[in-house]
Amino acid sequence: MKDPLFNWLDHRAAGVLLHPTSLPGEYGIGTLNDHCYRFLDFLAEGGFKYWQICPLGPTGFGDSPYQSFSSFAGNPYLISLNALEAKHLIEHDILEELKSLPNGFVDFGGLYNAKWPVLDAVYETFVQGKKKIRPYGAFSAFKKKHADWLEPYAYFQALKAHFNGKPWYEWPEDVRSFSDAQTYPLREELSRQIDAEMFYQYLFEGQWQGVRDYANERGIQVIGDIPIFVALDSADVWQNPEYFQLDPKTFLPIAVAGCPPDYFSADGQLWGNPLYDWDALAEDDNSWWIKRLRRCFELYDVVRIDHFRGFDSYWSIPYGSETARTGEWKKGPGVDFFKSIKKKIKTCKLIAEDLGDLTDDVRILRRDTGLPGMAILQFAFGGGGDNFYLPHNLQSNSVLYPGTHDNNTSLGWYAEASDEERDHIRRYLRVDGSEIGWDLLRTAYKSVSKLVIVPMQDLMSLGSEARFNTPGEAIGNWTWRYLPQQLQALRGGTADYLKELADDSYRDGSDAVNTI
């Protein structure tokens, strides 16, 4: 067998899954503030070597980080206003309106109305006589470095605001693509808003890189996350329509992404993302994907790609279909795609989200790429001994989770599990179920999987009230946050215990123990 393309996971380690929006703090949402740094301190104290997050891009309707306006930009909601106040870019009084936002969860509606005017005031302060303040280096240098995606994204956001939030494919014909919009008279009229949008990215970038540097200094690597597909209403598609399966006249998709009917969904899942024109991408040496991944590695140390299966084959649903039943399987780019990535990005640490009902071809693709796949302990119980996710069936080149952002917490899952599942897990782990969250964590640590990632909610022994996302439900997701005292309760005794577990199971981030 040929050597795999990517073979980077050569050590045992553990990490924590927590999206930054779930951090504590004032002003309605977790941000890149002092609480973020205290969280990283806890990771170091607990012997963790990785911090996994969800996508960091700007979100729209539904607030899902997996449906972003850009694959390259950051979410301005994550900008710490306290940090801007410390750099004299904002007066404290202007923050009073934001103090009415809740501390215990994210109120995205309230945040939309309250935070944007504050960020606009910060921009105005910056341009009116205070240009000598360089909170995160020269703004001009940032714009030059990221010109390839930054200005198109900023123009996209300015146009979206001008057209009252309508998707780009409902804009006037003259601005339905970035290339056409370049000479549109509205560009000059929107010049201030375009510059402001770029400034928000400058602030996000400066704060995020400070957080990442702090993590790396403490031996912690950041695992980012990207969905394989991008949102239809995004700067990605608006700027690069030639790389997607779009009607050249209407710019609407010819077909969209989803998954076929199965045991869980009689109609399948209709995601609605535009599909790639893989032939057009290949003719251009996959330059857009290479730019996307290079941008990812500017932000993260490791990148998890959601729906890895789509590189082998994808479910193509004719645009306008009411359900996913009408779709058909189409062949993806396969291993040639990853070979082209390898040529351009030598150090490319990727994780393949390969959950679900997989074909042999998908398994072969992951084997040939050498990418670590994923396993979920919550999926392991209630069936036979051949279940792929049972600990005795795991592969060492894998990332093991009790559950992910799409699952219930471990306590919530156990409370809602069937009698058969509960009986199976108690017998398999030889436990009484009274500490099932910690039982799963200890099992994961002792497993052969080289990397274990534990949701923050499980470390805090929280139930279903702390679930982050329920797939298929359009509202009520992405809002969970913890309070400062909850983290403080973990520091000390619990952190020491976690560090001991990491040491005893050789999850200290050093070279992997040789296995037969």
Side-chain angles (χ1 to χ4, degrees):
M1 188 179 72
K2 295 180 180 179
D3 291 336
L5 290 171
F6 307 96
N7 191 22
W8 65 272
L9 188 54
D10 58 359
H11 55 279
R12 288 173 63 81
V16 171
L17 171 60
L18 178 80
H19 196 49
T21 58
S22 296
L23 290 162
E26 299 176 303
Y27 316 132
I29 192 171
T31 64
L32 308 176
N33 56 19
D34 288 346
H35 292 286
C36 186
Y37 289 86
R38 300 296 75 77
F39 167 72
L40 291 171
D41 289 339
F42 161 72
L43 294 189
E45 293 162 2
F48 294 104
K49 299 300 179 182
Y50 289 90
W51 173 25
Q52 182 173 329
I53 60 177
C54 297
L56 287 179
T59 56
F61 178 77
D63 311 309
S64 171
Y66 293 88
Q67 291 287 341
S68 173
F69 289 134
S70 172
S71 293
F72 296 77
N75 191 343
Y77 283 161
L78 295 174
I79 294 171
S80 168
L81 299 179
N82 289 331
L84 299 184
E85 183 183 4
K87 291 182 179 292
H88 309 292
L89 280 167
I90 192 170
E91 298 296 332
H92 185 76
D93 291 347
I94 199 172
L95 300 178
E96 289 301 315
E97 292 185 19
L98 285 167
K99 285 190 174 181
S100 62
L101 294 174
N103 291 335
F105 65 94
V106 182
D107 177 6
F108 284 102
L111 197 66
Y112 177 84
N113 293 321
K115 190 157 188 174
W116 288 113
V118 173
L119 291 176
D120 185 76
V122 173
Y123 173 72
E124 192 65 24
T125 298
F126 180 78
V127 299
Q128 293 297 329
K130 290 193 176 182
K131 291 185 178 180
K132 291 183 180 179
I133 297 179
R134 296 183 172 189
Y136 306 107
F139 181 35
S140 59
F142 171 79
K143 289 192 286 188
K144 182 178 180 180
K145 178 180 179 180
H146 299 285
D148 185 64
W149 64 266
L150 181 61
E151 189 173 354
Y153 162 76
Y155 192 11
F156 171 87
Q157 290 289 58
L159 284 169
K160 176 171 278 291
H162 179 79
F163 293 118
N164 300 313
K166 289 183 179 180
W168 62 266
Y169 44 85
E170 294 182 8
W171 297 349
E173 188 174 350
D174 291 340
V175 291
R176 282 189 199 160
S177 73
F178 175 65
S179 59
D180 290 340
Q182 289 279 58
T183 57
Y184 197 64
L186 195 58
R187 184 184 181 93
E188 183 63 29
E189 181 182 333
L190 297 176
S191 59
R192 181 195 180 278
Q193 185 59 33
I194 293 171
D195 196 59
E197 292 288 348
M198 290 192 286
F199 180 71
Y200 305 151
Q201 291 303 307
Y202 161 76
L203 295 178
F204 168 85
E205 186 85 5
Q207 293 188 2
W208 174 251
Q209 293 301 345
V211 166
R212 184 183 172 192
D213 288 346
Y214 190 87
N216 290 167
E217 289 167 4
R218 279 146 187 78
I220 299 164
Q221 295 188 58
V222 179
I223 301 176
D225 195 353
I226 60 171
I228 183 176
F229 299 117
V230 300
L232 174 59
D233 187 20
S234 67
D236 302 309
V237 182
W238 181 69
Q239 183 185 359
N240 307 282
E242 67 274 18
Y243 296 139
F244 298 88
Q245 296 182 29
L246 305 180
D247 185 303
K249 294 182 179 179
T250 65
F251 286 101
L252 291 172
I254 296 171
V256 295
C259 63
D262 57 21
Y263 176 81
F264 299 101
S265 175
D267 291 327
Q269 295 181 37
L270 181 61
W271 300 335
N273 305 78
L275 296 170
Y276 295 109
D277 185 335
W278 287 112
D279 290 337
L281 283 163
E283 289 174 7
D284 198 19
D285 295 325
N286 291 305
S287 62
W288 181 84
W289 261 98
I290 289 166
K291 290 175 184 177
R292 184 188 190 190
L293 287 173
R294 280 180 171 157
R295 173 59 178 159
C296 284
F297 288 112
E298 289 178 350
L299 299 171
Y300 322 117
D301 301 291
V302 182
V303 176
R304 187 195 84 122
I305 301 181
D306 202 25
H307 196 59
F308 174 80
R309 192 235 159 94
F311 291 109
D312 174 74
S313 56
Y314 59 91
W315 190 245
S316 175
I317 307 164
Y319 181 71
S321 298
E322 293 185 1
T323 73
R325 285 177 173 272
T326 55
E328 61 178 323
W329 287 111
K330 297 285 186 73
K331 196 64 182 171
V335 74
D336 288 342
F337 170 82
F338 291 97
K339 289 179 179 178
S340 70
I341 298 300
K342 177 73 172 179
K343 289 178 181 178
K344 299 292 184 179
I345 308 176
K346 300 301 181 183
T347 304
C348 193
K349 297 181 179 180
L350 301 173
I351 294 170
E353 184 276 294
D354 58 346
L355 304 173
D357 186 16
L358 303 180
T359 65
D360 288 340
D361 287 343
V362 179
R363 296 187 181 94
I364 291 170
L365 177 61
R366 192 180 68 77
R367 182 199 66 193
D368 291 346
T369 60
L371 300 180
M374 289 176 54
I376 310 294
L377 282 177
Q378 289 184 18
F379 295 164
F381 302 99
D386 60 347
N387 186 306
F388 175 80
Y389 300 118
L390 281 168
H392 64 263
N393 291 326
L394 295 174
Q395 300 178 14
S396 62
N397 189 33
S398 64
V399 186
L400 177 60
Y401 302 74
T404 71
H405 62 276
D406 283 334
N407 295 103
N408 206 336
T409 68
S410 288
L411 292 187
W413 164 78
Y414 185 74
E416 298 175 7
S418 66
D419 290 340
E420 183 182 11
E421 287 173 306
R422 285 199 290 256
D423 177 66
H424 187 189
I425 191 172
R426 288 193 300 263
R427 287 187 292 105
Y428 188 91
L429 301 185
R430 311 309 295 176
V431 298
D432 63 8
S434 61
E435 293 185 342
I436 201 65
W438 285 100
D439 291 330
L440 285 174
L441 183 146
R442 285 185 284 264
T443 299
Y445 269 51
K446 290 186 289 185
S447 75
V448 71
S449 295
K450 288 180 180 174
L451 183 55
V452 168
I453 303 292
V454 183
M456 188 66 166
Q457 295 96 313
D458 283 357
L459 296 179
M460 293 178 169
S461 298
L462 300 176
S464 297
E465 75 283 356
R467 184 168 185 164
F468 198 45
N469 178 50
T470 304
E473 293 189 8
I475 58 175
N477 294 315
W478 320 111
T479 64
W480 176 77
R481 299 174 71 192
Y482 70 82
L483 298 173
Q485 56 267 32
Q486 290 176 286
L487 180 67
Q488 190 58 39
L490 292 180
R491 300 184 70 174
T494 302
D496 291 342
Y497 176 67
L498 289 164
K499 178 66 166 60
E500 182 180 330
L501 281 179
D503 291 342
D504 290 346
S505 56
Y506 301 101
R507 296 194 178 275
D508 59 359
S510 60
D511 291 345
V513 177
N514 290 328
T515 56
I516 297 174

